[in-house]
Amino acid sequence: SNQPSWFFKSFVCILTELSAELEDHHAKTDHVCQGYDEFGDLENTYFITDNNGKIPNLEPDGYDILHNSARYKLILTNMIHNNDNFVTTTPDTNVTVIDLQEEEGQPRRRDLEAIEGERTMLIVRVSANDKQPANSAQELSNSFFSMADNQQSFKKRYSLCSFGKLEFVPAQGDHINHGILDVNLGQNIDNLSIHSLLNVITSAARTKLGYKLPGNFGHAVYIVPEGTTYGTNGPKGWMAFAYIGAYLSVFNGRNALWLSHQVHEIGHNLGLQHSSHNGEAYGDQSGVMGYGYTEHDFPQMCFNAAKSWQLGWYREKALDIDISNGPQGIYLDAFVDYEKVPQGEYVLLKIDTKFAIYNKKKGINIETQEFQDRVTISQMT
């Protein structure tokens, strides 16, 4: 037979954007589908190649399917399954798109809705026959969850920047210690693509836990020993990647300890894209969705205006300005003083498609790296 591999008769998945940070601030975006297993669980990850232009782009209607990560369910037929987690469209592929927001009775909107509450995080520390973790379970737990006065941590940054509205807590349960689950893949991984190992890690975690991920956890983090490549024959120097609007982030070895990488990647899970500037994907250094830094306790900074609007933490003191009303006098205070700002004054503005914030170099934002002590304007694209 000349058939290149075997065909899915029907393949159902959730279309998700994956954002990766490689070496030298190089960004890469892939589109993956979280596929359902026979029990209806989002069990496996599939990388999609769409050379036949079958996956629709809804951008003319304002709802770009490839930039509304984890919002659309796809039902695909006649897809080539090349190997364990790579699938390709064919000229005969048919695609049905289901908008999960409409299916769940939620209106289409990009309004100011807070991402808040308590979220449980599981960190999966991976080992293999030929590679061992770069850091101990205790080091990783402290780096992500410590609230000690003498150090920064992932948990502390989100707690401070949200003024306590978003709190991350370490997972608990059998085989989980201080939020960390250790799994051994029972195979060699050097020079293998991390993409080919994602489902292997998920399966190993499921076997040890006795249930499927994400389970009751809001977020899962895979930390893989260094030696894998980003894609087949790709670079070994990849740092981390995350599923936008979904639960999973993946770190390469010691990169899991860098504070800005932690906050940045989970920012993707919360639905945030990169903060670009001057044509560079990571160019905005005023907030954590720009450049990353290889430091444990640095930098102490939060998010730019557009990202702050998305997160919704300051919504009680945010204002959507109707410019058709002409010039207006508005008090814009520093967002770091959010809790002290009097009624009738604001820390965040939306002006048509642009957003403004006073990027005060102070307190929780003391180490912002760009546009310090200025009103900064950003745009969501």
Side-chain angles (χ1 to χ4, degrees):
S1 170
N2 293 323
Q3 186 167 304
S5 184
W6 60 272
F7 282 74
F8 286 111
K9 291 181 180 179
S10 182
F11 177 56
V12 183
C13 64
I14 303 296
L15 187 65
T16 307
E17 188 172 345
L18 186 154
S19 181
E21 183 174 0
L22 308 181
E23 295 176 294
D24 301 322
H25 302 303
H26 178 63
K28 189 175 189 303
T29 298
D30 291 292
H31 295 104
V32 301
C33 249
Q34 295 179 281
Y36 292 88
D37 63 11
E38 65 271 26
F39 304 107
D41 295 310
L42 285 173
E43 177 67 0
N44 294 318
T45 294
Y46 296 92
F47 288 78
I48 295 179
T49 300
D50 184 27
N51 294 331
N52 293 280
K54 293 294 183 175
I55 298 176
N57 187 325
L58 306 182
E59 193 168 9
D61 296 325
Y63 311 110
D64 184 351
I65 191 170
L66 297 183
H67 292 86
N68 282 275
S69 185
R71 170 171 167 173
Y72 295 99
K73 180 192 291 184
L74 303 185
I75 302 175
L76 308 103
T77 59
N78 296 321
M79 296 284 288
I80 298 174
H81 183 264
N82 298 317
N83 57 35
D84 284 344
N85 60 344
F86 289 82
V87 295
T88 304
T89 60
T90 72
D92 296 323
T93 295
N94 291 312
V95 180
T96 301
V97 180
I98 298 173
D99 188 332
L100 294 176
Q101 287 191 14
E102 292 187 346
E103 188 177 64
E104 296 167 1
Q106 299 176 3
R108 288 176 166 172
R109 60 186 300 179
R110 294 181 75 180
D111 211 345
L112 196 65
E113 296 176 345
I115 297 172
E116 59 185 26
E118 185 176 275
R119 297 194 176 206
T120 303
M121 174 177 284
L122 174 71
I123 297 176
V124 179
R125 192 176 73 123
V126 177
S127 59
N129 291 346
D130 59 341
K131 296 288 182 179
Q132 297 302 311
N135 302 101
S136 71
Q138 190 61 57
E139 286 176 314
L140 292 172
S141 183
N142 286 343
S143 179
F144 274 86
F145 302 119
S146 175
M147 291 297 283
D149 291 338
N150 62 347
Q151 77 168 85
Q152 291 297 314
S153 71
F154 160 80
K155 173 181 171 66
K156 182 180 285 187
R157 292 314 306 160
Y158 270 99
S159 180
L160 291 173
C161 290
S162 70
F163 291 88
K165 292 183 178 181
L166 180 60
E167 299 287 349
F168 286 89
V169 297
Q172 299 181 12
D174 293 342
H175 307 294
I176 302 172
N177 296 304
H178 305 291
I180 312 295
L181 174 73
D182 278 303
V183 300
N184 191 305
L185 302 186
Q187 67 173 75
N188 293 341
I189 64 172
D190 192 37
N191 290 317
L192 292 183
S193 167
I194 182 58
H195 298 164
S196 70
L197 293 170
L198 290 175
N199 294 341
V200 178
I201 299 169
T202 300
S203 178
R206 180 189 67 228
T207 298
K208 192 160 188 179
L209 290 170
Y211 51 85
K212 299 175 183 293
L213 291 177
N216 293 323
F217 310 129
H219 297 265
V221 173
Y222 294 171
I223 301 176
V224 183
E226 294 177 29
T228 64
T229 63
Y230 189 82
T232 304
N233 299 320
K236 283 190 172 182
W238 66 275
M239 296 180 175
F241 60 89
Y243 293 56
I244 297 177
Y247 71 87
L248 182 62
S249 296
V250 184
F251 291 83
N252 190 15
R254 70 197 71 186
N255 292 288
L257 288 185
W258 311 140
L259 179 65
S260 62
H261 290 197
Q262 296 168 349
V263 179
H264 179 109
E265 298 307 327
I266 278 63
H268 286 315
N269 290 161
L270 298 177
L272 305 181
Q273 300 276 356
H274 288 139
S275 294
S276 61
H277 183 229
N278 288 336
E280 295 184 47
Y282 300 102
D284 178 10
Q285 298 177 66
S286 69
V288 294
M289 295 311 294
Y291 287 142
Y293 304 85
T294 53
E295 302 282 348
H296 297 278
D297 287 333
F298 175 89
Q300 297 179 58
M301 63 181 181
C302 296
F303 298 86
N304 72 14
K307 301 300 188 277
S308 293
W309 188 273
Q310 281 185 267
L311 292 165
W313 297 330
Y314 316 138
R315 65 192 185 282
E316 293 89 351
K317 294 168 185 174
L319 180 64
D320 188 345
I321 299 173
D322 184 354
I323 58 176
S324 67
N325 292 330
Q328 302 172 53
I330 297 168
Y331 286 98
L332 180 65
D333 296 295
F335 80 93
V336 297
D337 294 324
Y338 168 78
E339 294 180 319
K340 302 175 182 177
V341 172
Q343 186 175 0
E345 298 182 14
Y346 303 93
V347 301
L348 181 62
L349 304 177
K350 181 177 185 291
I351 310 162
D352 197 14
T353 61
K354 296 180 174 63
F355 305 85
I357 203 166
Y358 179 23
N359 189 43
K360 184 70 175 176
K361 181 180 170 70
K362 171 185 173 183
I364 62 174
N365 200 49
I366 188 65
E367 291 167 339
T368 179
Q369 295 297 292
E370 191 174 28
F371 309 124
Q372 299 96 332
D373 299 323
R374 300 181 187 179
V375 172
T376 62
I377 297 173
S378 53
Q379 189 166 12
M380 205 178 301
T381 59

